[in-house]
Amino acid sequence: MKLKNPYEVLGIREGASEDEIKAAYRELVKKYHPDQYQNNPLAKLAEEKLREINEAYDYLMKNASARNNAQAGGSRSYDGRGWNRNDGNDFFSQVKSHINSGNIKLAEDMLDSAGRRPAEWYYLKGLIFMRKGWYDEAYNHLQRAVNMDPSNYEYRSALDRMTVSYNTYRGNSYRRGFTKNENDLCTFCQWLWCADCLCECAGGDLIKCC
Amino acid sequence: MFGYIVPEKPEMKIKEYELFRAYYCGVCCSIGKRHGQLKRLTLNYDSAFLAVLLSAIAEEQIDVRIKRCAVHPFQKRHIISGSPIVDYASDINIILAYYNLEDKQRDEASFVSSAGLVMLRKDFRRLREQYRDKCEVIERQLDELMRLEKEKCPSMDMAAEPFARLMEEITAYKPVCTDSGREEILRWIGYNLGKWIYLMDAFDDIEKDIKNQNYNPLICQFRYENQDVSEFRQQIRSKVEFTLIYSLNEISKAFELLDIKANKGILENIIYMGMLRKTENTLGIRRCSEVEKSV
């Protein structure tokens, strides 16, 4: 694989200051954080991207500190691991490990053949649906798992994550300047009409014809 | 395709808008040049999006020309020409238009659809030879869709699957998939695009399908029982909205993993704003009429 320009990877201009590098890095880690891509078929690619970002960051920080001949710290990058390790032996943890390794078909066949359907069954089925892109079914199954076992943190957090993803997208849109439908011409006319009325009350007139 | 994938024009830079239109006109001209002028009638925005997306990751130098065309004889326009990707988008446009007409013809034969089929048949046969693999997948998925419709499938996820797979196949355009990661990303974008389009169309058609007693996954899943149609739409809105927005989120996440070389602003505009606007308008969220009522 060819080495990429670390500045390009972080999306900053060459020769950016240390603060700029840090800020860009933090933004990107947030964007490609494993939490954002949990139960997503592209999780591995996101991990790769994060690794690339980490390498670029480490490289730049190392160079920066070499340049400044001082200043340690700050080059600790996030490794994005430390979640879902499971090595039990029973049926459901086998299913789970198939899901984690991306063997969705096998995991689904195993689940469908299971006679017993406890909360965990619905939880795992929900995760499979999420991978497949069946979001409505995924939500319903996770909801059902939570209802059956309300004290289980794992089920609840999977359900919460779905809601968070849903909100993330809207957040990103609004940040880019998306405005709600209220701010259209229709509302503009209402404001104009309102302003006209107020002016008339005060004895003046904004729009002569009405 | 249905033309749901549109940019949010007020938020676009003028140069981005011009470039988007150059792609749109490019696809249109490519249809005209390679398949015949009349077939330009089948053009829609989704094909332009496909061209913009694939072109964004391809290492190709685009060639923008300023010229007149038959549709706009008095105004010169920017048009992208000689791009294999634009040609691909135009071929796909014809193929899908043909399948769409075939489907319409099956439901209810009309003069327009049979005339369209006759018009497109020759081009379609040629394209089917050229894109044999893709067409086989498309046909398999359409058969599956027909089977689900006949069975009156009561799950929107299951009903959307064939169309999502169809779009997945189209979006994975081999020449730009230089590595397996990229193909995987494009496939996931395509899958979610297809799902979104299918469900948007289903929500749009609720009223029509109730009246004509046609199959509609939403009517089946949420068990419509003779209540007021707008009330029914209101009831199911948040459920449908969840899946639609979730699909958009998956598209955006996959998009962020792509190594974009051009057209970034246009794509961000469409993915983060244009499609959200379309979703909200279709679902009837915060519509003008509702605002008016509250005054």
Side-chain angles (χ1 to χ4, degrees), chain B residues 25-291:
Chain B
C25 291
V27 175
C28 187
C29 283
S30 167
I31 293 176
K33 204 160 75 192
R34 295 172 333 114
H35 305 298
Q37 295 299 332
L38 249 186
K39 284 115 193 174
R40 292 166 84 160
L41 290 170
T42 60
L43 177 74
N44 69 50
Y45 276 114
D46 301 351
S47 314
F49 173 78
L50 184 66
V52 175
L53 175 69
L54 295 177
S55 176
I57 52 174
E59 314 260 2
E60 80 167 358
Q61 199 64 42
I62 57 162
D63 176 15
V64 186
R65 304 230 171 116
I66 301 179
K67 57 182 180 188
R68 283 180 228 280
C69 76
V71 185
H72 309 282
F74 303 113
Q75 239 178 336
K76 285 193 173 177
R77 299 252 164 144
H78 294 276
I79 294 167
I80 291 179
S81 64
S83 151
I85 285 171
V86 168
D87 289 347
Y88 172 71
S90 75
D91 290 347
I92 291 298
N93 191 80
I94 297 280
I95 291 175
L96 288 186
Y98 184 83
Y99 285 123
N100 192 15
L101 283 174
E102 226 177 30
D103 180 54
K104 272 205 189 116
Q105 181 79 352
R106 230 184 337 256
D107 283 352
E108 45 182 328
S110 75
F111 174 72
V112 177
S113 53
S114 42
L117 282 174
V118 170
M119 175 179 92
L120 292 175
R121 186 155 293 140
K122 218 175 103 213
D123 297 289
F124 172 74
R125 289 219 176 111
R126 190 164 40 83
L127 290 172
R128 200 183 176 287
E129 278 306 302
Q130 192 183 342
Y131 299 97
R132 187 183 286 262
D133 297 350
K134 296 247 180 256
C135 285
E136 270 164 16
V137 175
I138 293 173
E139 278 159 23
R140 211 168 40 238
Q141 298 304 342
L142 288 176
D143 285 345
E144 176 69 10
L145 184 61
M146 224 157 54
R147 190 181 65 77
L148 289 170
E149 282 178 0
K150 227 176 253 154
E151 280 175 10
K152 302 214 175 305
C153 165
S155 151
M156 59 167 141
D157 282 329
M158 197 188 277
E161 181 79 5
F163 192 74
R165 294 246 170 253
L166 185 158
M167 285 297 288
E168 175 185 320
E169 193 58 35
I170 288 167
T171 315
Y173 176 53
K174 276 279 179 307
V176 299
C177 298
T178 43
D179 58 77
S180 65
R182 194 181 255 189
E183 179 170 348
E184 216 178 315
I185 297 171
L186 278 180
R187 282 188 175 273
W188 192 238
I189 291 180
Y191 179 91
N192 283 284
L193 272 180
K195 184 173 188 108
W196 181 79
I197 292 175
Y198 182 81
L199 290 177
M200 288 281 281
D201 192 49
F203 195 89
D204 246 351
D205 285 348
I206 287 177
E207 197 158 2
K208 205 177 79 199
D209 289 340
I210 288 175
K211 214 166 74 191
N212 302 335
Q213 295 188 323
N214 283 343
Y215 167 77
N216 184 314
L218 300 174
I219 296 174
C220 290
Q221 177 169 350
F222 298 104
R223 295 203 190 87
Y224 172 78
E225 275 155 357
N226 294 322
Q227 66 261 56
D228 184 43
V229 177
S230 59
E231 203 174 285
F232 177 69
R233 283 162 66 108
Q234 198 95 3
Q235 276 167 12
I236 68 171
R237 179 186 291 165
S238 66
K239 272 296 217 179
V240 181
E241 187 190 356
F242 182 83
T243 297
L244 286 175
I245 301 287
Y246 207 95
S247 308
L248 291 183
N249 187 38
E250 291 296 316
I251 293 171
S252 72
K253 269 160 41 181
F255 167 73
E256 297 294 350
L257 289 172
L258 273 180
D259 196 7
I260 299 286
K261 298 190 177 75
N263 303 343
K264 194 164 186 199
I266 302 177
L267 288 167
E268 283 183 347
N269 175 290
I270 295 176
I271 289 172
Y272 285 103
M273 292 187 271
M275 291 169 79
L276 178 59
R277 174 76 66 214
K278 197 82 190 168
T279 311
E280 295 204 335
N281 286 347
T282 299
L283 292 174
I285 298 169
R286 292 178 285 269
R287 260 231 191 102
C288 227
S289 56
E290 281 171 37
V291 180

Side-chain angles (χ1 to χ4, degrees), chain A residues 142-154:
Chain A
L142 291 178
Q143 180 79 64
R144 178 132 185 205
V146 169
N147 289 347
M148 285 166 87
D149 185 359
S151 61
N152 189 305
Y153 171 75
E154 204 179 0

Side-chain angles (χ1 to χ4, degrees), chain A residues 108 111-112 120-129 141:
Chain A
E108 193 169 21
L111 271 190
D112 288 343
E120 188 160 21
W121 189 91
Y122 285 97
Y123 166 68
L124 293 172
K125 189 85 183 173
L127 295 188
I128 290 174
F129 276 134
H141 279 76

